[in-house]
C-alpha cells in the first residue's frame, strides 16, 4: 500500500519540472533533487522520479534535434541574396514582400511543431502528476530510458 506521503512526493517530483519557468534548468534540478533525496524511501517514488527525469532529458534531446533542423532554414532565408561586398547602408534598404521561400515554410512548420510539442509536454506532466496523486504508475510516451 502506498501512503499519502509517497504519493505527494511523486506528485511534487513531476510538478517540480515547472520550476524551469522560475529557475534556469529547474526542470532538471527540481526532479533530480527530490528524487535523489527520496528514492530509497519508496519504490513508487523511485519509479516516478526516474520517469520524470527521463522525460525531461528526452524532451531536451527532441528540442535540440528540432532546433538543429529548423535554425538553418531561417538562416538560409535571412542571408539569401545578401550582397556583402556592395552594401550601401540603409539608404538602399528594401524589403521585398514577394513569394516566400519554401525554406521559410519548412522552418515555420518545424517551429509550429515545437510549440505543439511544448503544449503536449505540459499536458503530459499534469497527467503524470495526477496519476502519481492517485497512486498509479505512469509512463511518459516517447521517453528514452536513460535511468533504468
Amino acid at each position: 500500500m502506498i501512503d499519502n506521503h509517497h504519493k505527494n512526493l511523486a506528485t511534487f517530483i513531476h510538478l517540480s519540472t515547472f520550476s524551469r519557468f522560475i529557475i534556469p534548468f529547474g526542470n532538471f534540478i527540481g526532479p533530480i533533487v527530490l528524487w535523489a533525496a527520496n528514492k530509497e524511501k519508496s519504490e513508487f517514488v523511485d519509479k516516478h522520479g526516474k520517469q520524470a527525469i527521463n522525460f525531461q532529458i528526452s524532451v531536451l534531446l527532441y528540442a535540440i534535434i528540432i532546433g538543429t533542423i529548423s535554425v538553418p532554414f531561417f538562416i538560409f532565408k535571412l542571408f539569401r541574396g545578401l550582397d556583402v561586398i556592395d552594401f550601401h547602408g540603409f539608404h538602399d534598404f528594401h524589403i521585398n514582400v514577394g513569394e516566400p521561400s519554401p525554406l521559410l515554410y519548412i522552418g515555420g512548420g518545424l517551429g509550429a511543431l515545437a510549440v505543439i510539442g511544448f503544449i503536449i509536454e505540459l499536458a503530459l506532466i499534469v497527467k503524470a502528476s495526477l496519476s502519481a496523486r492517485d497512486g498509479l504508475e505512469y509512463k511518459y510516451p516517447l521517453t528514452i530510458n536513460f535511468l533504468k
Side-chain angles (χ1 to χ4, degrees), residues 52-107:
I53 295 165
N54 285 334
F55 181 64
Q56 291 303 312
I57 295 171
S58 299
V59 166
L60 176 66
L61 180 65
Y62 299 145
I64 289 171
I65 290 170
I66 290 175
T68 304
I69 293 171
S70 65
V71 167
F73 291 116
F74 287 111
I75 291 174
F76 290 143
K77 176 63 180 164
L78 182 67
F79 291 121
R80 188 177 128 217
L82 180 66
D83 191 3
V84 180
I85 298 171
D86 193 23
F87 184 69
H88 298 293
F90 287 107
H91 67 283
D92 276 342
F93 184 73
H94 300 287
I95 296 176
N96 185 6
V97 187
E99 185 176 324
S101 167
L103 297 176
L104 190 62
Y105 289 129
I106 294 169

Side-chain angles (χ1 to χ4, degrees), residues 24-75:
F25 299 107
N27 57 327
F28 297 107
I29 296 169
I32 288 172
V33 168
L34 287 173
W35 171 69
N38 298 296
K39 65 183 178 181
E40 283 85 23
K41 295 180 182 177
S42 166
E43 185 178 332
F44 181 74
V45 172
D46 185 43
K47 286 181 181 179
H48 276 276
K50 288 178 182 177
Q51 279 297 309
I53 295 165
N54 285 334
F55 181 64
Q56 291 303 312
I57 295 171
S58 299
V59 166
L60 176 66
L61 180 65
Y62 299 145
I64 289 171
I65 290 170
I66 290 175
T68 304
I69 293 171
S70 65
V71 167
F73 291 116
F74 287 111
I75 291 174

Side-chain angles (χ1 to χ4, degrees), residues 1-12:
M1 184 74 185
I2 302 166
D3 65 355
N4 282 335
H5 178 67
H6 295 152
K7 291 179 189 178
N8 290 339
L9 280 173
T11 302
F12 286 130

